[in-house]
C-alpha cells in the first residue's frame, strides 16, 4: 500500500533524489499536470486502485514529506501504444514527440524493474495543483 498523509494517498513522482525534485518542481510551477503509471506494477502490485476524479493526493518529496496537494481531474487506463501526444505534453517534461515520451518512459520503467510492452495498461492521471504545504 502507498503511504497516507492526513488520510490522503501520496503521489511520489519518479525515483528518490534529483529526478523527484525536478518532477516536483514542475508540478509546483504548473508545468506538470499529468503522470503515468503501470497498472500492474505501480497499482496492483501495491494493492492500490487507480485514482479517481476528485480524489486529492499529497505530493511527497524524497524524504516522504508532503509538499503539496493535488486534485485528480481525470484518469484513463490505456495500452502503452495508445497514450496520446496531448497526455505526453501534459506531463510537462519537455518531450519533443510521442516517440520521445515512449522512449523515456520505457527506459525509466525498465530501470525500476517493470517490463512494459505496447499492450501494457498505463494509468494516465491528470491533476491540478490545489496548494502547497508548509515545511517545518
Amino acid at each position: 500500500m502507498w503511504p497516507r498523509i492526513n488520510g490522503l494517498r501520496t503521489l511520489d513522482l519518479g525515483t528518490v533524489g534529483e529526478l523527484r525534485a525536478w518532477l516536483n518542481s514542475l508540478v509546483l510551477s504548473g508545468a506538470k499536470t499529468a503522470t503515468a503509471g503501470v497498472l500492474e506494477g505501480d497499482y496492483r502490485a501495491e494493492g492500490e486502485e487507480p485514482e479517481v476524479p476528485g480524489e486529492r493526493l499529497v505530493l511527497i518529496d524524497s524524504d516522504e514529506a508532503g509538499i503539496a496537494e493535488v486534485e485528480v481531474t481525470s484518469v484513463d487506463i490505456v495500452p502503452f501504444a495508445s497514450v496520446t501526444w496531448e497526455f505526453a505534453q501534459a506531463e510537462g517534461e519537455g518531450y519533443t514527440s510521442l516517440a520521445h515520451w515512449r522512449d523515456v518512459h520505457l527506459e525509466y520503467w525498465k530501470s525500476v524493474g517493470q517490463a512494459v510492452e505496447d499492450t501494457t495498461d498505463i494509468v494516465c492521471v491528470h491533476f491540478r495543483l490545489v496548494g502547497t504545504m508548509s515545511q517545518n
Side-chain angles (χ1 to χ4, degrees):
M1 283 187 59
W2 298 340
R4 292 343 192 229
I5 295 177
N6 298 329
L8 301 177
R9 293 196 285 181
T10 58
L11 175 59
D12 60 341
L13 299 173
T15 52
V16 170
E18 289 182 26
L19 178 59
R20 181 166 300 163
W22 177 64
L23 294 173
N24 285 349
S25 73
L26 293 175
V27 172
L28 296 174
S29 74
K32 182 173 183 61
T33 60
T35 192
V38 178
L39 182 60
E40 287 297 327
D42 292 322
Y43 292 85
R44 292 193 177 140
E46 293 286 331
E48 293 286 351
E49 292 296 320
E51 296 84 353
V52 295
E55 181 178 2
R56 291 197 174 196
L57 308 168
V58 176
L59 182 67
I60 60 173
D61 64 14
S62 290
D63 296 321
E64 297 187 1
I67 59 169
E69 191 172 307
V70 299
E71 180 179 3
V72 176
T73 58
S74 68
V75 178
D76 295 301
I77 300 173
V78 299
F80 181 69
S82 297
V83 173
T84 66
W85 174 232
E86 290 78 18
F87 178 81
Q89 289 175 305
E91 282 206 302
E93 298 171 33
Y95 302 112
T96 56
S97 66
L98 189 53
H100 181 213
W101 179 91
R102 288 174 53 95
D103 290 344
V104 169
H105 281 72
L106 284 172
E107 184 176 318
Y108 170 76
W109 284 321
K110 182 180 178 183
S111 78
V112 295
Q114 295 190 60
V116 172
E117 300 176 357
D118 282 349
T119 58
T120 302
D121 283 332
I122 303 300
V123 181
C124 299
V125 179
H126 286 269
F127 55 82
R128 69 178 185 85
L129 180 64
V130 175
T132 58
M133 303 173 107
S134 62
Q135 299 292 299
N136 294 332

